[in-house]
Amino acid sequence: QVQLVESGGGSVQAGGSLTLACVTSGYIYSLAWFRQAPGKEREGVARIYRRAHGTLYADSVKGRFTLSLNNAKSTLYLQMNSLKPEDTGMYYCAAATTAEDLQAKDFPYWGQGTQVTVSS
């Protein structure tokens, strides 16, 4: 049974940093972060393969966000630097048992979400 529990959200001023964490359990091949702002569709932020550690980032976060994986702790991290107001939203950890890119429809397992608010 795959389970995902996120933490680490909060409020920060533009230019600041936050680190999100997602504690996982169960068999997982692909892990990803998605975000959803009010009134907008859910969008992919970044994805990593659990064994090969291959990463994929949305263009909007390249160079600012970094994924890392601690397999011993079964925890996925998203380090977010140089945050912008447009990064505001609910951030979700998602998992799949197959190799996937960054389409929400391909991830069957989701955490409850953690809110990130960036003020200007």
Side-chain angles (χ1 to χ4, degrees), residues 82-103:
S82 302
L83 282 162
K84 304 176 181 179
E86 51 264 43
D87 294 318
T88 294
M90 187 68 78
Y91 281 67
Y92 298 91
C93 180
T97 58
T98 51
E100 304 296 345
D101 286 333
L102 210 49
Q103 300 294 320

Side-chain angles (χ1 to χ4, degrees), residues 35 43-47 56-63 65 102:
R35 66 187 181 189
E43 64 170 340
V45 175
R47 181 233 64 211
L56 176 66
Y57 293 91
D59 288 344
S60 58
V61 306
K62 281 181 183 176
F65 290 12
L102 210 49

Side-chain angles (χ1 to χ4, degrees), residues 4 6 22 24 31-34 76 91-95 109-111 113:
L4 308 168
E6 304 102 329
C22 174
T24 74
L31 276 167
W33 287 97
F34 289 82
L76 173 71
Y91 281 67
Y92 298 91
C93 180
Y109 304 102
W110 293 81

